[in-house]
Amino acid sequence: MSLRLGYGTNGLTDLRLDDALVLLADLGYDGVGLTLDHMHLDPLAPDLGARTRRLARRLADLGLEVTVETGARYVLDPRHKHGPSLLDPDIGARTARVGLLLRAVQVAADLGAHAVHCFSGTTPRGTSPDTAWRRLVTALTPVLEAAAGVRVPLAIEPEPGHLLATLADFHHLRARLGDPEPLGLTLDIGHCQCLEPAPPADCVAQAAPWLRHVQIEDMRRGVHEHLPFGDGEIDFPPVLDALAATGYRGLAVVELPRHSHAGPELARRSIEFLRPRIPTEGAPTWRS
């Protein structure tokens, strides 16, 4: 296969981490999108280094690749979803988010992960766009330096409703930072359908030079709701063809964070949907 598939642990939160990993290996996934959170690899609990080393051995035993994701809802603040963000007015709060990302970079290095995922956060009320962008640039600078030091790319995700919401916003950030080599892109295929002016397959082609991580699920135009495959509007064969054409060799991670109650079944259904539609290297592409 020309693409490697993973499944996000944020869609398997009702399972112990080892049970989730065994499930994915048994289903034939190539890897896992590991969200650092309290129920799996808690980034704030003691002995993170030792726990990470044990996990690295387990992933190797199961033959699973990994990317590290930082989208846990309440890992830093038990009362505010995704809080605090890199845009928080309080410098101490921003520093807490930076600290989480620095831990994520080290975890990724220790696991041999192909990328660390992150996002900007929403612009706080009363904050001007220019102030928000300046905060984001300042906050990401030490994270990018750490990522460069361990040679793991930082892949920021355009997220609907966030300061950095579109591919155009990614390029704006890239320019403001001076196009640093460690800065890459997380492309969420559903978000392309939801928000971008171009079709998802065209977004893949446009994003190719900066593509470091891929998330994939179904979605409808204008509605930010992650859906199982077949429940939305995306025509997936052109998207998968486009991903294969980029030469991207990271994981394409199924992202269904609101479906943990049916996680094992959806993990099975997702790989059964995607595998037959992935073009095989050297073979004609599959078309609908």
Side-chain angles (χ1 to χ4, degrees):
M1 292 292 182
S2 57
L3 289 173
R4 295 199 286 268
L5 297 177
Y7 199 94
T9 59
N10 60 1
L12 296 168
T13 56
D14 291 290
L15 275 66
R16 297 177 183 87
L17 179 56
D18 194 69
D19 291 339
L21 298 178
V22 171
L23 169 74
L24 298 181
D26 287 348
L27 288 172
Y29 281 93
D30 303 292
V32 58
L34 175 67
T35 296
L36 302 183
D37 208 347
H38 65 88
M39 76 289 291
H40 288 151
L41 187 67
D42 188 340
L44 303 183
D47 301 320
L48 178 60
R51 289 183 288 117
T52 302
R53 290 190 291 273
R54 287 195 296 271
L55 177 57
R57 292 192 293 269
R58 187 59 171 147
L59 290 167
D61 290 343
L62 293 170
L64 293 173
E65 300 178 38
V66 63
T67 188
V68 172
E69 304 203 9
T70 60
R73 293 184 180 96
Y74 297 101
V75 69
L76 289 176
D77 186 333
R79 300 190 180 193
H80 300 97
K81 181 181 175 182
H82 296 316
S85 81
L86 298 172
L87 310 179
D88 199 287
D90 181 77
I91 190 171
R94 296 199 300 274
T95 299
R97 176 61 62 173
V98 170
L100 176 66
L101 295 183
L102 291 172
R103 287 185 176 221
V105 168
Q106 187 58 56
V107 167
D110 292 344
L111 293 179
H114 72 78
V116 173
H117 149 276
C118 69
F119 48 84
S120 69
T122 60
T123 303
R125 183 175 298 179
T127 300
S128 71
D130 187 63
T131 296
W133 283 110
R134 283 192 286 106
R135 287 176 186 165
L136 183 60
V137 166
T138 300
L140 285 179
T141 297
V143 185
L144 289 165
E145 290 172 354
V150 296
R151 301 184 65 81
V152 176
L154 184 71
I156 194 163
E157 178 187 5
E159 181 82 22
H162 283 209
L163 174 69
L164 197 154
T166 65
L167 288 174
D169 294 332
F170 168 72
H171 291 301
H172 179 72
L173 174 65
R174 204 166 54 83
R176 291 189 73 134
L177 281 163
D179 197 17
E181 192 276 335
L183 180 66
L185 175 70
T186 292
L187 188 69
D188 188 301
I189 301 303
H191 294 173
C192 296
Q193 175 70 21
C194 175
L195 200 62
E196 295 287 347
D202 292 352
C203 292
V204 171
Q206 294 168 14
W210 302 278
L211 201 58
R212 300 296 179 267
H213 182 41
V214 173
Q215 296 173 345
I216 189 166
E217 70 286 315
D218 217 338
M219 204 168 285
R220 301 186 183 98
R221 183 71 180 166
V223 182
H224 184 201
E225 181 182 4
H226 291 236
L227 299 173
F229 298 104
D231 288 1
E233 300 170 340
I234 298 175
D235 182 18
F236 280 97
V239 173
L240 297 171
D241 285 354
L243 280 170
T246 68
Y248 172 71
R249 289 295 180 265
L251 293 171
V253 172
V254 178
E255 184 82 355
L256 293 172
R258 297 183 181 179
H259 292 77
S260 279
H261 64 283
E265 174 63 13
L266 281 172
R268 180 188 65 79
R269 285 168 45 191
S270 296
I271 198 168
E272 289 177 355
F273 178 92
L274 290 169
R275 277 284 187 227
R277 293 166 169 81
I278 295 176
T280 302
E281 289 179 327
T285 55
W286 189 97
R287 294 291 180 187
S288 58

mmCIF file of all heavy atoms in Angstrom, residues 150-188:
data_model
loop_
_atom_site.group_PDB
_atom_site.id
_atom_site.type_symbol
_atom_site.label_atom_id
_atom_site.label_comp_id
_atom_site.label_asym_id
_atom_site.label_seq_id
_atom_site.Cartn_x
_atom_site.Cartn_y
_atom_site.Cartn_z
ATOM 1 N N VAL A 150 15.583 17.617 18.277
ATOM 2 C CA VAL A 150 15.390 16.160 18.258
ATOM 3 C C VAL A 150 14.973 15.656 16.876
ATOM 4 O O VAL A 150 14.683 14.479 16.702
ATOM 5 C CB VAL A 150 14.352 15.720 19.318
ATOM 6 C CG1 VAL A 150 14.864 16.039 20.719
ATOM 7 C CG2 VAL A 150 12.990 16.361 19.084
ATOM 8 N N ARG A 151 14.902 16.568 15.912
ATOM 9 C CA ARG A 151 14.596 16.221 14.516
ATOM 10 C C ARG A 151 13.232 15.547 14.376
ATOM 11 O O ARG A 151 13.074 14.544 13.682
ATOM 12 C CB ARG A 151 15.702 15.359 13.911
ATOM 13 C CG ARG A 151 17.071 16.026 13.935
ATOM 14 C CD ARG A 151 18.127 15.199 13.234
ATOM 15 N NE ARG A 151 17.842 15.069 11.807
ATOM 16 C CZ ARG A 151 18.125 15.989 10.893
ATOM 17 N NH1 ARG A 151 18.694 17.133 11.250
ATOM 18 N NH2 ARG A 151 17.855 15.768 9.624
ATOM 19 N N VAL A 152 12.240 16.111 15.066
ATOM 20 C CA VAL A 152 10.848 15.678 14.934
ATOM 21 C C VAL A 152 10.030 16.897 14.513
ATOM 22 O O VAL A 152 10.035 17.905 15.219
ATOM 23 C CB VAL A 152 10.284 15.117 16.255
ATOM 24 C CG1 VAL A 152 8.808 14.763 16.098
ATOM 25 C CG2 VAL A 152 11.071 13.886 16.691
ATOM 26 N N PRO A 153 9.351 16.856 13.372
ATOM 27 C CA PRO A 153 8.605 18.043 12.933
ATOM 28 C C PRO A 153 7.415 18.350 13.832
ATOM 29 O O PRO A 153 6.790 17.450 14.391
ATOM 30 C CB PRO A 153 8.147 17.683 11.519
ATOM 31 C CG PRO A 153 8.191 16.197 11.458
ATOM 32 C CD PRO A 153 9.285 15.762 12.394
ATOM 33 N N LEU A 154 7.128 19.644 13.961
ATOM 34 C CA LEU A 154 5.925 20.114 14.637
ATOM 35 C C LEU A 154 4.883 20.393 13.556
ATOM 36 O O LEU A 154 5.118 21.220 12.670
ATOM 37 C CB LEU A 154 6.216 21.378 15.430
ATOM 38 C CG LEU A 154 5.061 21.931 16.272
ATOM 39 C CD1 LEU A 154 4.791 21.019 17.463
ATOM 40 C CD2 LEU A 154 5.367 23.343 16.741
ATOM 41 N N ALA A 155 3.768 19.702 13.610
ATOM 42 C CA ALA A 155 2.759 19.778 12.551
ATOM 43 C C ALA A 155 1.512 20.454 13.085
ATOM 44 O O ALA A 155 0.719 19.855 13.813
ATOM 45 C CB ALA A 155 2.429 18.372 12.038
ATOM 46 N N ILE A 156 1.334 21.731 12.736
ATOM 47 C CA ILE A 156 0.205 22.487 13.258
ATOM 48 C C ILE A 156 -1.025 22.260 12.382
ATOM 49 O O ILE A 156 -0.930 22.149 11.162
ATOM 50 C CB ILE A 156 0.546 23.982 13.388
ATOM 51 C CG1 ILE A 156 -0.493 24.701 14.251
ATOM 52 C CG2 ILE A 156 0.718 24.643 12.023
ATOM 53 C CD1 ILE A 156 -0.036 26.057 14.762
ATOM 54 N N GLU A 157 -2.179 22.175 13.023
ATOM 55 C CA GLU A 157 -3.424 21.812 12.335
ATOM 56 C C GLU A 157 -4.342 23.021 12.167
ATOM 57 O O GLU A 157 -4.714 23.653 13.167
ATOM 58 C CB GLU A 157 -4.168 20.747 13.140
ATOM 59 C CG GLU A 157 -5.492 20.343 12.522
ATOM 60 C CD GLU A 157 -6.304 19.409 13.401
ATOM 61 O OE1 GLU A 157 -5.868 19.143 14.555
ATOM 62 O OE2 GLU A 157 -7.365 18.955 12.949
ATOM 63 N N PRO A 158 -4.735 23.359 10.954
ATOM 64 C CA PRO A 158 -5.828 24.317 10.778
ATOM 65 C C PRO A 158 -7.126 23.731 11.330
ATOM 66 O O PRO A 158 -7.554 22.646 10.937
ATOM 67 C CB PRO A 158 -5.899 24.492 9.255
ATOM 68 C CG PRO A 158 -4.559 24.067 8.752
ATOM 69 C CD PRO A 158 -4.138 22.957 9.673
ATOM 70 N N GLU A 159 -7.736 24.448 12.236
ATOM 71 C CA GLU A 159 -8.915 23.955 12.956
ATOM 72 C C GLU A 159 -10.045 24.969 12.817
ATOM 73 O O GLU A 159 -9.865 26.146 13.135
ATOM 74 C CB GLU A 159 -8.565 23.770 14.431
ATOM 75 C CG GLU A 159 -9.660 23.243 15.305
ATOM 76 C CD GLU A 159 -9.808 21.730 15.248
ATOM 77 O OE1 GLU A 159 -8.844 21.045 14.884
ATOM 78 O OE2 GLU A 159 -10.905 21.240 15.573
ATOM 79 N N PRO A 160 -11.223 24.553 12.334
ATOM 80 C CA PRO A 160 -12.337 25.499 12.207
ATOM 81 C C PRO A 160 -12.612 26.221 13.519
ATOM 82 O O PRO A 160 -12.654 25.615 14.588
ATOM 83 C CB PRO A 160 -13.511 24.594 11.819
ATOM 84 C CG PRO A 160 -12.878 23.443 11.099
ATOM 85 C CD PRO A 160 -11.583 23.209 11.833
ATOM 86 N N GLY A 161 -12.750 27.543 13.429
ATOM 87 C CA GLY A 161 -13.019 28.356 14.605
ATOM 88 C C GLY A 161 -11.786 28.857 15.321
ATOM 89 O O GLY A 161 -11.892 29.718 16.198
ATOM 90 N N HIS A 162 -10.616 28.339 14.970
ATOM 91 C CA HIS A 162 -9.379 28.763 15.610
ATOM 92 C C HIS A 162 -8.767 29.944 14.866
ATOM 93 O O HIS A 162 -9.153 30.262 13.742
ATOM 94 C CB HIS A 162 -8.384 27.608 15.648
ATOM 95 C CG HIS A 162 -8.685 26.591 16.697
ATOM 96 N ND1 HIS A 162 -7.713 25.833 17.313
ATOM 97 C CD2 HIS A 162 -9.857 26.190 17.263
ATOM 98 C CE1 HIS A 162 -8.259 25.027 18.188
ATOM 99 N NE2 HIS A 162 -9.569 25.217 18.174
ATOM 100 N N LEU A 163 -7.776 30.579 15.500
ATOM 101 C CA LEU A 163 -7.032 31.626 14.806
ATOM 102 C C LEU A 163 -6.446 31.069 13.515
ATOM 103 O O LEU A 163 -6.576 31.663 12.450
ATOM 104 C CB LEU A 163 -5.914 32.158 15.705
ATOM 105 C CG LEU A 163 -4.956 33.161 15.041
ATOM 106 C CD1 LEU A 163 -5.662 34.487 14.758
ATOM 107 C CD2 LEU A 163 -3.718 33.382 15.919
ATOM 108 N N LEU A 164 -5.780 29.927 13.624
ATOM 109 C CA LEU A 164 -5.234 29.254 12.446
ATOM 110 C C LEU A 164 -6.259 28.222 11.999
ATOM 111 O O LEU A 164 -6.318 27.108 12.512
ATOM 112 C CB LEU A 164 -3.888 28.607 12.772
ATOM 113 C CG LEU A 164 -3.013 28.227 11.577
ATOM 114 C CD1 LEU A 164 -1.533 28.217 11.963
ATOM 115 C CD2 LEU A 164 -3.397 26.895 10.976
ATOM 116 N N ALA A 165 -7.098 28.621 11.039
ATOM 117 C CA ALA A 165 -8.246 27.803 10.648
ATOM 118 C C ALA A 165 -8.129 27.200 9.255
ATOM 119 O O ALA A 165 -8.814 26.221 8.951
ATOM 120 C CB ALA A 165 -9.535 28.642 10.719
ATOM 121 N N THR A 166 -7.290 27.780 8.400
ATOM 122 C CA THR A 166 -7.244 27.389 6.994
ATOM 123 C C THR A 166 -5.803 27.205 6.538
ATOM 124 O O THR A 166 -4.850 27.589 7.229
ATOM 125 C CB THR A 166 -7.899 28.458 6.103
ATOM 126 O OG1 THR A 166 -7.117 29.663 6.192
ATOM 127 C CG2 THR A 166 -9.338 28.746 6.551
ATOM 128 N N LEU A 167 -5.654 26.662 5.338
ATOM 129 C CA LEU A 167 -4.327 26.538 4.746
ATOM 130 C C LEU A 167 -3.690 27.916 4.553
ATOM 131 O O LEU A 167 -2.478 28.081 4.738
ATOM 132 C CB LEU A 167 -4.413 25.808 3.409
ATOM 133 C CG LEU A 167 -4.709 24.311 3.493
ATOM 134 C CD1 LEU A 167 -4.924 23.730 2.095
ATOM 135 C CD2 LEU A 167 -3.580 23.569 4.204
ATOM 136 N N ALA A 168 -4.490 28.899 4.186
ATOM 137 C CA ALA A 168 -3.958 30.254 4.051
ATOM 138 C C ALA A 168 -3.403 30.761 5.372
ATOM 139 O O ALA A 168 -2.361 31.437 5.414
ATOM 140 C CB ALA A 168 -5.046 31.191 3.530
ATOM 141 N N ASP A 169 -4.075 30.443 6.481
ATOM 142 C CA ASP A 169 -3.570 30.847 7.798
ATOM 143 C C ASP A 169 -2.249 30.158 8.117
ATOM 144 O O ASP A 169 -1.361 30.754 8.742
ATOM 145 C CB ASP A 169 -4.598 30.510 8.880
ATOM 146 C CG ASP A 169 -5.882 31.318 8.762
ATOM 147 O OD1 ASP A 169 -5.823 32.447 8.237
ATOM 148 O OD2 ASP A 169 -6.937 30.803 9.189
ATOM 149 N N PHE A 170 -2.115 28.894 7.721
ATOM 150 C CA PHE A 170 -0.844 28.198 7.928
ATOM 151 C C PHE A 170 0.289 28.934 7.223
ATOM 152 O O PHE A 170 1.374 29.137 7.790
ATOM 153 C CB PHE A 170 -0.935 26.759 7.418
ATOM 154 C CG PHE A 170 0.394 26.070 7.334
ATOM 155 C CD1 PHE A 170 1.072 25.668 8.469
ATOM 156 C CD2 PHE A 170 0.996 25.853 6.091
ATOM 157 C CE1 PHE A 170 2.324 25.047 8.379
ATOM 158 C CE2 PHE A 170 2.227 25.240 5.996
ATOM 159 C CZ PHE A 170 2.896 24.832 7.144
ATOM 160 N N HIS A 171 0.064 29.341 5.999
ATOM 161 C CA HIS A 171 1.115 30.050 5.261
ATOM 162 C C HIS A 171 1.404 31.424 5.881
ATOM 163 O O HIS A 171 2.550 31.892 5.857
ATOM 164 C CB HIS A 171 0.727 30.169 3.797
ATOM 165 C CG HIS A 171 0.729 28.853 3.087
ATOM 166 N ND1 HIS A 171 1.851 28.063 2.987
ATOM 167 C CD2 HIS A 171 -0.269 28.169 2.451
ATOM 168 C CE1 HIS A 171 1.563 26.964 2.321
ATOM 169 N NE2 HIS A 171 0.288 26.997 1.994
ATOM 170 N N HIS A 172 0.368 32.049 6.451
ATOM 171 C CA HIS A 172 0.588 33.314 7.156
ATOM 172 C C HIS A 172 1.504 33.100 8.360
ATOM 173 O O HIS A 172 2.440 33.883 8.592
ATOM 174 C CB HIS A 172 -0.759 33.886 7.596
ATOM 175 C CG HIS A 172 -0.657 35.171 8.350
ATOM 176 N ND1 HIS A 172 -0.327 36.373 7.750
ATOM 177 C CD2 HIS A 172 -0.815 35.448 9.678
ATOM 178 C CE1 HIS A 172 -0.301 37.331 8.663
ATOM 179 N NE2 HIS A 172 -0.598 36.797 9.834
ATOM 180 N N LEU A 173 1.251 32.032 9.119
ATOM 181 C CA LEU A 173 2.107 31.730 10.265
ATOM 182 C C LEU A 173 3.526 31.405 9.809
ATOM 183 O O LEU A 173 4.508 31.878 10.403
ATOM 184 C CB LEU A 173 1.537 30.542 11.048
ATOM 185 C CG LEU A 173 2.418 30.036 12.197
ATOM 186 C CD1 LEU A 173 2.550 31.075 13.294
ATOM 187 C CD2 LEU A 173 1.869 28.724 12.755
ATOM 188 N N ARG A 174 3.642 30.619 8.770
ATOM 189 C CA ARG A 174 4.950 30.249 8.253
ATOM 190 C C ARG A 174 5.775 31.492 7.908
ATOM 191 O O ARG A 174 6.963 31.586 8.223
ATOM 192 C CB ARG A 174 4.748 29.362 7.015
ATOM 193 C CG ARG A 174 5.882 28.440 6.679
ATOM 194 C CD ARG A 174 5.431 27.380 5.671
ATOM 195 N NE ARG A 174 4.831 27.964 4.496
ATOM 196 C CZ ARG A 174 5.523 28.431 3.455
ATOM 197 N NH1 ARG A 174 6.837 28.396 3.466
ATOM 198 N NH2 ARG A 174 4.894 28.936 2.404
ATOM 199 N N ALA A 175 5.115 32.455 7.253
ATOM 200 C CA ALA A 175 5.811 33.689 6.874
ATOM 201 C C ALA A 175 6.225 34.487 8.109
ATOM 202 O O ALA A 175 7.333 35.035 8.176
ATOM 203 C CB ALA A 175 4.920 34.520 5.967
ATOM 204 N N ARG A 176 5.344 34.576 9.097
ATOM 205 C CA ARG A 176 5.654 35.361 10.299
ATOM 206 C C ARG A 176 6.795 34.738 11.089
ATOM 207 O O ARG A 176 7.557 35.438 11.763
ATOM 208 C CB ARG A 176 4.409 35.510 11.179
ATOM 209 C CG ARG A 176 3.341 36.384 10.554
ATOM 210 C CD ARG A 176 2.211 36.698 11.540
ATOM 211 N NE ARG A 176 2.621 37.651 12.553
ATOM 212 C CZ ARG A 176 1.914 38.706 12.936
ATOM 213 N NH1 ARG A 176 0.733 38.967 12.355
ATOM 214 N NH2 ARG A 176 2.339 39.520 13.881
ATOM 215 N N LEU A 177 6.928 33.411 11.014
ATOM 216 C CA LEU A 177 7.994 32.728 11.730
ATOM 217 C C LEU A 177 9.303 32.688 10.939
ATOM 218 O O LEU A 177 10.333 32.244 11.458
ATOM 219 C CB LEU A 177 7.565 31.298 12.066
ATOM 220 C CG LEU A 177 6.638 31.135 13.272
ATOM 221 C CD1 LEU A 177 5.977 29.772 13.254
ATOM 222 C CD2 LEU A 177 7.410 31.337 14.571
ATOM 223 N N GLY A 178 9.260 33.086 9.679
ATOM 224 C CA GLY A 178 10.452 33.013 8.841
ATOM 225 C C GLY A 178 10.665 31.655 8.221
ATOM 226 O O GLY A 178 11.798 31.281 7.905
ATOM 227 N N ASP A 179 9.579 30.899 8.021
ATOM 228 C CA ASP A 179 9.610 29.594 7.349
ATOM 229 C C ASP A 179 10.615 28.637 7.994
ATOM 230 O O ASP A 179 11.503 28.096 7.332
ATOM 231 C CB ASP A 179 9.935 29.775 5.858
ATOM 232 C CG ASP A 179 9.581 28.531 5.042
ATOM 233 O OD1 ASP A 179 8.817 27.680 5.549
ATOM 234 O OD2 ASP A 179 10.078 28.415 3.914
ATOM 235 N N PRO A 180 10.475 28.355 9.296
ATOM 236 C CA PRO A 180 11.427 27.463 9.961
ATOM 237 C C PRO A 180 11.273 26.023 9.472
ATOM 238 O O PRO A 180 10.152 25.540 9.262
ATOM 239 C CB PRO A 180 11.052 27.583 11.438
ATOM 240 C CG PRO A 180 9.607 27.965 11.437
ATOM 241 C CD PRO A 180 9.423 28.828 10.213
ATOM 242 N N GLU A 181 12.377 25.339 9.316
ATOM 243 C CA GLU A 181 12.360 23.982 8.772
ATOM 244 C C GLU A 181 11.516 23.009 9.606
ATOM 245 O O GLU A 181 10.830 22.152 9.039
ATOM 246 C CB GLU A 181 13.799 23.468 8.634
ATOM 247 C CG GLU A 181 13.948 22.197 7.816
ATOM 248 C CD GLU A 181 13.698 20.945 8.635
ATOM 249 O OE1 GLU A 181 13.881 20.997 9.861
ATOM 250 O OE2 GLU A 181 13.309 19.919 8.048
ATOM 251 N N PRO A 182 11.510 23.077 10.951
ATOM 252 C CA PRO A 182 10.729 22.095 11.712
ATOM 253 C C PRO A 182 9.212 22.282 11.614
ATOM 254 O O PRO A 182 8.466 21.399 12.034
ATOM 255 C CB PRO A 182 11.188 22.302 13.156
ATOM 256 C CG PRO A 182 12.427 23.116 13.073
ATOM 257 C CD PRO A 182 12.310 23.929 11.838
ATOM 258 N N LEU A 183 8.738 23.431 11.103
ATOM 259 C CA LEU A 183 7.301 23.686 11.069
ATOM 260 C C LEU A 183 6.671 22.995 9.873
ATOM 261 O O LEU A 183 7.010 23.271 8.727
ATOM 262 C CB LEU A 183 7.004 25.178 11.001
ATOM 263 C CG LEU A 183 5.512 25.547 10.964
ATOM 264 C CD1 LEU A 183 4.826 25.171 12.275
ATOM 265 C CD2 LEU A 183 5.326 27.027 10.657
ATOM 266 N N GLY A 184 5.743 22.093 10.159
ATOM 267 C CA GLY A 184 4.984 21.417 9.117
ATOM 268 C C GLY A 184 3.498 21.558 9.363
ATOM 269 O O GLY A 184 3.048 22.305 10.239
ATOM 270 N N LEU A 185 2.747 20.807 8.598
ATOM 271 C CA LEU A 185 1.294 20.925 8.568
ATOM 272 C C LEU A 185 0.631 19.609 8.925
ATOM 273 O O LEU A 185 1.026 18.553 8.422
ATOM 274 C CB LEU A 185 0.857 21.354 7.169
ATOM 275 C CG LEU A 185 -0.641 21.426 6.885
ATOM 276 C CD1 LEU A 185 -1.285 22.586 7.634
ATOM 277 C CD2 LEU A 185 -0.877 21.587 5.377
ATOM 278 N N THR A 186 -0.363 19.666 9.806
ATOM 279 C CA THR A 186 -1.325 18.582 9.956
ATOM 280 C C THR A 186 -2.525 18.909 9.091
ATOM 281 O O THR A 186 -3.186 19.937 9.308
ATOM 282 C CB THR A 186 -1.790 18.421 11.418
ATOM 283 O OG1 THR A 186 -0.704 17.961 12.225
ATOM 284 C CG2 THR A 186 -2.919 17.399 11.521
ATOM 285 N N LEU A 187 -2.815 18.072 8.116
ATOM 286 C CA LEU A 187 -3.972 18.289 7.252
ATOM 287 C C LEU A 187 -5.078 17.336 7.668
ATOM 288 O O LEU A 187 -4.932 16.115 7.591
ATOM 289 C CB LEU A 187 -3.601 18.051 5.787
ATOM 290 C CG LEU A 187 -4.696 18.449 4.794
ATOM 291 C CD1 LEU A 187 -4.864 19.966 4.754
ATOM 292 C CD2 LEU A 187 -4.398 17.908 3.399
ATOM 293 N N ASP A 188 -6.189 17.903 8.126
ATOM 294 C CA ASP A 188 -7.382 17.122 8.456
ATOM 295 C C ASP A 188 -8.302 17.155 7.239
ATOM 296 O O ASP A 188 -8.794 18.213 6.837
ATOM 297 C CB ASP A 188 -8.072 17.717 9.690
ATOM 298 C CG ASP A 188 -9.205 16.853 10.194
ATOM 299 O OD1 ASP A 188 -10.154 16.600 9.409
ATOM 300 O OD2 ASP A 188 -9.169 16.436 11.360
#
